[in-house]
Amino acid sequence: MGVEDVTDRTVAARAERSRRKVDLAAEVWHSARCGAAGGGSPKPAGTAEGLAVGGKQTKPGAGDRPLGEPRGAAEAPRQSDESLRVGEQRYRALLDALPAYVYSVRIENGRPVSTEHSLGSTAVTGYGPEDYSRDPNLWINMVHPEDRALVREFAARHLEGQNAGPIEHRIIHRDGRVRWVRSVIVPHYDAAGRMQRYDGLIEDVTARKQAEMALRETERIKAIGSLAGGVAQDFNAVLNAIAGNATSIADNTLPQSAAHEAAQHILEAAMHAGDVTKRLMGLARLCETGADTELEAVPVAEVVRNTIRLTESALAARRVSIQFRHPAAEFLALANAAQLLDALTSLFLNAADAMSDGGTIYVDVSQRRTTLPPGVDRTPRRGVFVVIRVRDTGHGIPPELMKRIFEPFFTTRQSRTAFGLGLTVVKNLVKGWGGWVSVRSRPGRGASFRLLIPKADQPVPGPTPPPGRCTVLLADDDAGDAAMMRRVLEGAGHTVMTAAGTEEAVAQHARQGDKIDVTIVDLLLPPGGGKPLVEAILNRDAQAAVIVISGFSREYARLHLPRGAWVFLQKPIEADKLLRTLASLRERRGGPHPDR
């Protein structure tokens, strides 16, 4: 048996199951209707443009047998009360079991002349049988405009006697929401082979479609992250080779010669490419939105403060200030602290991009009881959420772009390093915690993003900090790398101070050098690189504990830094290696300062 045979049999089996489902639903519906009418003729619910492709509509003639009435029913005795009760029970059981409804269309001379809908239509579409009776074209008018051609073709094929399988399409619910439905049609013919009627089943499949779309989007984000991480790793290796050879050329040619200047240009280009690599690695971390993410009771205000400390230097360089209205109480959200910090960092930097001439970012945290919007898969649907609001004074988001801002790769920035994935990842992170993101904006009045995250009742006890804690000065302008290292270090019980530039780090060492045990320095720390900071530290203490980090090679770092006791770590930084290196330096120095 070939693959095609199995596929054909599977499709046929599914079609047969759909046919049986419609037949059963129609049979129960017709039985209940006829029983409710006492064996008489049910009144047609209305004529319709119908599932037709045009043509004049006519009402059934006086001699026509009403839809669903058995032949000879006019002479049959009235059904017993017991039969009526059983029919009604079967009808109700069917409606309870399926988010669906049945409709039936009577055909004369190959054209629809009347249509009737079951009571279940109200639950699925918001419209009852009387609505379809008043508006014969409601069945097509409620279909989403982009799907109407598909539905018309589906109906036309059945009227022509073709075997058209089930279709799925969108409708506009009476309350304005877009819903997905699955439509199945089963035709019925007389002895001469003429179509007398067809029964249809409309089933609400919105939940399944939303789950499928969410799964596809999550898998797409994961694939993007995996691709970004792989490209960054490979690209970094190539950059190391380029930078190493360019350095060798520069060191072995006469200054101001053409070859020397060309080598310097290559090194500058490699440094810019290194920035792209950093962003790719940051993107790879952000895209880690798997279902295995460990959720915890996160003190939201504390994470906001940490994010501000990590980003305020970079924001200040762009003339952007940030104001945080501290809540009266600490709110705990059921989320992942590391991912929340990454999400807030992305929102802050996104807000800064919208304020090219500088401005202010306002952040506040609150708590509210609300109901989840459609598309958020969580039970119960109503609950208490922690709300983080991030507002900016930028140019705002044009109305025509509001629906696209969360699309992957959509960006209005012209920079080559703008991937258009920041807001997409933020949305998926928050959705993974059982929350959602909303946005409001008016052109010229800035934008306001709100993260609504489920409230956590009790804090989750964290790990006990190990003995021998250190104070670390972390000097790195890359917010993503700095955030990752800070999480690792603070998670191990160390105290972390941050600086995003050479001058800031040198100033911190001048003020608090006696309290700093270890300094982590990014080789490309602006402005001018990390060399001035390393020199300042080693001039003060030749045996100072310094960890130099870079996407370039160790050899490249050695060529650009003074000799000394510093050690080197290659980016991307591995958490275990960072902690082991820190422990080794601590042992070499005889532990932290005695006052800690």
Side-chain angles (χ1 to χ4, degrees):
M1 180 181 295
V3 175
E4 293 184 0
D5 295 333
V6 175
T7 302
D8 291 343
R9 291 178 60 184
T10 301
V11 172
R14 289 176 179 172
E16 181 61 25
R17 285 197 297 270
S18 296
R19 176 183 293 273
R20 290 177 180 176
K21 182 188 293 186
V22 177
D23 280 339
L24 173 62
E27 176 188 352
V28 174
W29 178 44
H30 291 319
S31 298
R33 286 168 52 249
C34 291
S41 302
K43 185 178 180 180
T47 59
E49 168 199 353
L51 304 175
V53 289
K56 184 178 179 181
Q57 301 170 14
T58 59
K59 294 185 179 180
D64 292 329
R65 179 174 57 87
L67 180 64
E69 182 179 74
R71 296 188 181 277
E75 295 79 20
R78 184 180 300 272
Q79 291 184 345
S80 66
D81 291 342
E82 179 64 19
S83 298
L84 176 60
R85 185 183 63 82
V86 171
E88 289 177 345
Q89 286 179 345
R90 292 176 65 193
Y91 183 40
R92 291 195 187 98
L94 178 66
L95 292 181
D96 291 340
L98 290 174
Y101 71 93
V102 180
Y103 67 90
S104 191
V105 178
R106 191 160 65 89
I107 307 297
E108 286 185 359
N109 299 320
R111 298 168 65 179
V113 294
S114 68
T115 182
E116 297 177 79
H117 293 72
S118 70
L119 293 173
S121 63
T122 305
V124 177
T125 70
Y127 299 101
E130 66 282 358
D131 296 308
Y132 293 97
S133 177
R134 284 192 296 267
D135 183 0
N137 296 324
L138 179 58
W139 72 274
I140 190 65
N141 290 336
M142 72 177 184
V143 175
H144 193 284
E146 295 178 3
D147 294 345
R148 287 176 186 170
L150 171 68
V151 174
R152 289 182 184 276
E153 180 185 2
F154 177 63
R157 290 180 62 186
H158 275 286
L159 287 174
E160 293 170 359
Q162 300 180 32
N163 183 19
I167 62 169
E168 293 181 353
H169 62 86
R170 293 163 293 177
I171 64 170
I172 308 297
H173 193 276
R174 189 170 199 157
D175 61 12
R177 292 179 298 162
V178 176
R179 310 291 293 174
W180 278 92
V181 297
R182 184 174 187 267
S183 180
V184 183
I185 288 179
V186 175
H188 297 274
Y189 302 89
D190 61 16
R194 294 185 297 268
M195 184 183 295
Q196 290 184 315
R197 78 169 198 272
Y198 60 77
D199 297 322
L201 181 70
I202 300 292
E203 183 178 1
D204 190 333
V205 294
T206 304
R208 174 173 62 79
K209 294 292 288 188
Q210 289 176 342
E212 290 174 353
M213 290 186 286
L215 179 60
R216 283 196 297 269
E217 186 170 351
T218 299
E219 292 300 324
R220 184 180 181 186
I221 293 297
K222 286 183 179 179
I224 291 170
S226 178
L227 176 63
V231 169
Q233 294 277 12
D234 295 340
F235 192 46
N236 197 52
V238 175
L239 279 179
N240 288 336
I242 293 173
N245 284 284
T247 300
S248 178
I249 294 172
D251 291 344
N252 290 280
T253 54
L254 293 174
Q256 298 183 349
S257 66
H260 187 274
E261 291 182 0
Q264 292 295 334
H265 288 318
I266 293 173
L267 282 173
E268 290 175 4
M271 291 179 66
H272 288 302
D275 291 337
V276 176
T277 304
K278 289 181 181 180
R279 292 180 63 85
L280 283 171
M281 292 307 301
L283 174 63
R285 286 195 303 273
L286 274 174
C287 290
E288 295 174 357
T289 58
D292 56 347
T293 299
E294 183 178 350
L295 300 184
E296 55 190 341
V298 177
V300 174
E302 179 181 333
V303 176
V304 172
R305 288 190 290 268
N306 290 340
T307 309
I308 292 174
R309 282 197 295 268
L310 286 172
T311 59
E312 59 185 350
S313 296
L315 295 175
R318 302 164 74 170
R319 294 176 296 168
V320 174
S321 62
I322 188 163
Q323 296 185 15
F324 177 36
R325 188 176 68 188
H326 296 265
E330 180 66 89
F331 297 120
L332 299 175
L334 189 62
N336 180 278
Q339 291 181 345
L340 178 57
L341 190 146
D342 288 338
L344 290 175
T345 299
S346 182
L347 283 180
F348 290 176
L349 297 179
N350 187 72
D353 289 333
M355 297 182 287
S356 55
D357 297 326
T360 304
I361 299 174
Y362 298 93
V363 186
D364 59 74
V365 178
S366 60
Q367 185 173 286
R368 61 178 294 190
R369 179 176 292 275
T370 187
T371 302
L372 273 69
V376 180
D377 185 16
R378 183 177 180 271
T379 303
R381 301 294 299 172
R382 185 169 178 81
V384 179
F385 293 82
V386 177
V387 183
I388 308 172
R389 184 172 59 167
V390 179
R391 297 180 293 133
D392 63 63
T393 57
H395 48 67
I397 305 172
E400 64 273 15
L401 300 182
M402 284 289 286
K403 293 183 178 181
R404 301 194 59 195
I405 59 174
F406 293 110
E407 292 180 8
F409 300 111
F410 176 76
T411 179
T412 57
R413 287 183 285 166
Q414 302 301 317
S415 171
R416 293 182 179 179
T417 59
F419 298 120
L421 285 168
L423 292 179
T424 305
V425 174
V426 170
K427 176 186 175 183
N428 279 272
L429 286 175
V430 177
K431 189 174 182 180
W433 307 330
W436 72 97
V437 180
S438 67
V439 58
R440 295 178 181 177
S441 179
R442 285 189 294 174
R445 301 292 297 273
S448 174
F449 287 83
R450 293 192 305 163
L451 312 185
L452 290 94
I453 309 170
K455 175 181 177 293
D457 295 325
Q458 296 294 331
V460 178
T464 303
R469 295 186 294 266
C470 289
T471 296
V472 180
L473 174 60
L474 176 57
D476 191 345
D477 66 309
D478 187 289
D481 287 344
M484 185 279 293
M485 288 185 283
R486 180 170 190 152
R487 289 195 303 269
V488 171
L489 294 170
E490 290 183 338
H494 303 298
T495 300
V496 180
M497 305 161 58
T498 60
T502 302
E503 295 176 357
E504 180 186 0
V506 170
Q508 288 201 45
H509 248 284
R511 293 193 307 268
Q512 306 181 66
D514 58 334
K515 297 181 179 180
I516 298 173
D517 297 304
V518 180
T519 304
I520 301 175
V521 184
D522 181 17
L523 183 61
L524 301 181
L525 190 68
K531 181 178 179 179
L533 175 58
V534 175
E535 289 178 338
I537 296 172
L538 296 181
N539 287 339
R540 186 170 181 267
D541 181 359
Q543 297 301 314
V546 178
I547 301 175
V548 176
I549 58 176
S550 176
F552 295 117
S553 65
R554 184 190 305 271
E555 289 69 26
Y556 180 84
R558 284 175 176 169
L559 290 171
H560 289 79
L561 292 177
R563 293 182 178 274
W566 55 267
V567 297
F568 179 82
L569 285 180
Q570 177 87 43
K571 285 189 175 184
I573 303 297
E574 297 178 9
D576 291 342
K577 185 176 291 187
L578 175 62
L579 293 177
R580 287 197 303 269
T581 303
L582 191 68
S584 175
L585 286 174
R586 188 176 61 206
E587 291 176 4
R588 190 184 73 188
R589 293 277 297 177
H593 286 289
D595 60 339
R596 287 190 295 282

